[in-house]
């Protein structure tokens, strides 16, 4: 099935990209089909499709890929975020702004410890963790993941600041202050509602 699906996926993506208005053609595709096409051909070969996908389609793909029952899993989200960052900070900012606020905060919260420098917070002198000051100097992020996730988070924060300063600060403040369990529960509720609207059974 995988051998048959691959060529069909390439043909479908090529047809969408060759349309007179590729963005409009892709925008008419259901989020579930975008998800299937990307996984059929791989993220590298589906890069142009992802770059033209709407924020709603991307949200739908994250809904399908990022959850194991009611638990958020970050690893499947990484290639989606990386592909969006490759599309440029404007595209990334557009998509990020339309994701659920709770999901945005949860993604960041899982991968950093946040120090608010305006409150005099900072890492201990003997802390040898990887530190990343935000471009505005308001926060210091202690990166807690592996090397790949650290690079991804640094790219994410830098491009988010370039795209929307207020949104960047709001995301970081929410990640710093909101209880993790509440963020995950509310994120799951939003996700379950969207999937129900698309006909997926919980």
């Amino acid at each position: 099935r995988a051998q048959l699906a691959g060529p069909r996926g390439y043909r479908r993506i090529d047809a969408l990209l060759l349309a007179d208005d590729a963005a409009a053609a892709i925008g008419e595709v259901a989020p579930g089909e975008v998800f299937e096409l990307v996984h059929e051909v791989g993220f590298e070969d589906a890069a142009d499709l992802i770059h033209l996908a709407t924020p709603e389609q991307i949200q739908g793909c994250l809904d399908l890929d990022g959850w194991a029952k009611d638990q958020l899993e970050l690893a499947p989200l990484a290639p989606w975020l990386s592909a969006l960052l490759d599309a440029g900070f404007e595209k990334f900012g557009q998509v990020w702004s339309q994701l659920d606020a709770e999901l945005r905060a949860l993604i960041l919260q899982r991968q950093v410890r946040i120090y608010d420098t305006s409150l005099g917070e900072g890492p201990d002198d003997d802390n040898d963790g990887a530190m990343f000051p935000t471009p505005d100097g308001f926060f210091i992020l202690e990166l807690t993941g592996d090397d790949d996730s650290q690079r991804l988070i640094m790219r994410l924060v830098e491009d988010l600041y370039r795209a929307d300063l207020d949104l960047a600060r709001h995301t970081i403040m929410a990640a710093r202050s909101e209880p993790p369990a509440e963020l995950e529960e509310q994120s799951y509720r939003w996700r379950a509602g969207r999937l129900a609207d698309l006909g997926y059974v919980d």
Side-chain angles (χ1 to χ4, degrees):
R1 289 183 61 187
Q3 290 176 339
L4 290 172
R8 286 202 301 268
Y10 284 108
R11 288 195 295 270
R12 175 68 169 138
I13 291 174
D14 287 344
L16 290 168
L17 294 175
L18 292 172
D20 291 337
D21 187 341
I26 291 170
E28 295 296 321
V29 176
E33 185 178 354
V34 174
F35 173 84
E36 291 173 359
L37 287 170
V38 170
H39 280 285
E40 282 179 13
V41 306
F43 282 89
E44 183 175 352
D45 289 338
D48 291 338
L49 174 68
I50 296 172
H51 294 177
L52 292 175
T54 67
E56 292 78 13
Q57 288 170 322
I58 298 297
Q59 174 74 81
C61 292
L62 301 185
D63 286 341
L64 290 168
D65 230 1
W67 294 84
K69 296 186 178 180
D70 59 351
Q71 303 293 312
L72 180 69
E73 295 189 338
L74 293 180
L77 301 186
W80 292 101
L81 297 175
S82 181
L84 290 171
L85 290 166
D86 289 343
F89 73 89
E90 297 97 339
K91 178 66 176 185
F92 178 76
Q94 178 192 28
V95 173
W96 189 260
S97 69
Q98 296 192 46
L99 297 179
D100 299 330
E102 295 84 0
L103 178 63
R104 298 193 303 248
L106 190 59
I107 290 172
L108 191 63
Q109 188 182 80
R110 289 278 186 86
Q111 301 181 84
V112 300
R113 181 179 178 185
I114 301 167
Y115 303 95
D116 188 337
T117 59
S118 69
L119 299 177
E121 297 176 354
D124 296 332
D125 292 338
D126 59 352
N127 188 333
D128 59 357
M131 302 297 169
F132 175 62
T134 57
D136 57 4
F138 284 10
F139 308 97
I140 297 174
L141 308 182
E142 181 179 346
L143 308 174
T144 59
D146 59 23
D147 289 345
D148 289 339
S149 66
Q150 289 182 16
R151 284 191 290 269
L152 181 62
I153 285 296
M154 286 191 290
R155 288 183 65 199
L156 187 156
V157 172
E158 286 175 342
D159 275 15
L160 186 54
Y161 266 90
R162 294 175 67 193
D164 190 328
L165 176 63
D166 290 337
L167 179 59
R169 291 174 177 168
H170 181 274
T171 299
I172 294 172
M173 288 298 296
R176 177 184 175 277
S177 61
E178 296 295 332
E182 291 184 14
L183 288 175
E184 187 166 51
E185 180 180 358
Q186 187 59 47
S187 294
Y188 178 73
R189 287 180 179 176
W190 291 124
R191 179 253 187 183
R194 281 190 297 269
L195 291 184
D197 290 341
L198 293 173
Y200 291 91
V201 178
D202 192 345

